[in-house]
Amino acid sequence: MPEQPLRGQANRDLCGRLAAGRLERFIGVIYRPDTERWSHYVECSMPRQFDGYTWFDQTHAVEPLGQEPRAGVAETWPFGL
């Protein structure tokens, strides 16, 4: 499916169907089962939060590029320079 814009008048029917609040999970949070719903999710409305979306029907795992030697001092930011 190609990119679908969520702004303007192009997809009014789609935007109407996506306007209802849905739970969006935060990325990079510490897992705490006792507060998961409160601390890991927020209610969002796609048309109000995003300009568009792209749906992928099929994906595959990313393959590592491998270790490439780097010249110079190792990158250590922000822990040391």
Side-chain angles (χ1 to χ4, degrees), residues 3-74:
E3 181 178 329
Q4 296 294 317
L6 295 176
R7 302 278 184 198
Q9 301 297 317
N11 286 319
R12 291 183 68 179
D13 182 50
L14 175 63
C15 290
R17 288 183 279 146
L18 293 175
R22 290 176 169 75
L23 293 179
E24 177 182 359
R25 192 172 200 285
F26 294 126
I27 297 173
V29 295
I30 297 172
Y31 178 65
R32 295 194 174 128
D34 52 324
T35 63
E36 181 175 8
R37 171 58 183 91
W38 174 79
S39 63
H40 294 65
Y41 293 87
V42 66
E43 191 168 301
C44 76
S45 169
M46 284 183 64
R48 287 187 292 234
Q49 187 172 355
F50 302 105
D51 293 327
Y53 77 94
T54 302
W55 179 268
F56 297 92
D57 287 329
Q58 185 176 2
T59 64
H60 63 275
V62 177
E63 296 179 18
L65 297 175
Q67 292 287 6
E68 297 179 15
R70 295 184 183 193
V73 179

